[in-house]
Amino acid sequence: MLVNFTNHPSSQWGERQLREAEKYGDIVDVPFPDVDPEEDEAYIGVLASEYAERILNLVPDAVLCQGEFCLVYRVVSLLKEKNIAVLAACSERCVIQNGDRKEVTFSFRRFRRY
């Protein structure tokens, strides 16, 4: 099973990303929380412990983990301590500039381990 711990529900992923994710089995979404920028490191530690425990209880084969940097770092560290494969989605950034308007899209290429 792949746990998708991001702000991007797997129902909105493209075909290529779904194919790669399904190599780990079923996909289970665990939405990445909003992180209050006014909170301190202790808050991040508590939040990381709560989410890592929730994710570990699902017994995943791998976890896609992307979001607010400090929380990601702590969750990735906790999951790796338990020998869970933790992944990032690698995408190509495509920019189209049209006068003052800039359109940016991301095209999934692969997963990479932390």
Side-chain angles (χ1 to χ4, degrees), residues 6-114:
T6 73
N7 288 317
H8 305 281
S10 60
S11 62
Q12 297 176 2
W13 291 356
E15 184 180 320
R16 184 173 182 171
Q17 188 167 1
L18 285 170
R19 270 196 327 268
E20 288 299 310
E22 289 168 349
K23 292 178 180 178
Y24 296 95
D26 293 335
I27 304 166
V28 175
D29 291 327
V30 175
F32 199 93
D34 290 330
V35 177
D36 185 343
E38 298 299 322
E39 291 288 351
D40 63 8
E41 292 82 358
Y43 162 82
I44 294 295
V46 169
L47 202 56
S49 293
E50 289 173 2
Y51 275 93
E53 183 177 341
R54 181 174 168 190
I55 291 166
L56 288 167
N57 285 336
L58 295 170
V59 192
D61 296 295
V63 177
L64 174 61
C65 184
Q66 292 185 257
E68 192 275 340
F69 296 119
C70 294
L71 182 56
V72 165
Y73 177 80
R74 295 289 288 271
V75 170
V76 167
S77 297
L78 292 169
L79 294 175
K80 286 178 67 75
E81 285 176 8
K82 300 294 184 181
N83 296 314
I84 301 295
V86 189
L87 312 171
C90 301
S91 301
E92 180 179 3
R93 183 174 186 258
C94 306
V95 179
I96 299 172
Q97 188 76 38
N98 188 1
D100 292 341
R101 188 170 161 250
K102 180 169 33 174
E103 182 179 323
V104 180
T105 58
F106 295 90
S107 179
F108 175 83
R109 292 294 181 247
R110 65 185 297 260
F111 291 119
R112 181 181 299 136
R113 285 184 182 229
Y114 281 95

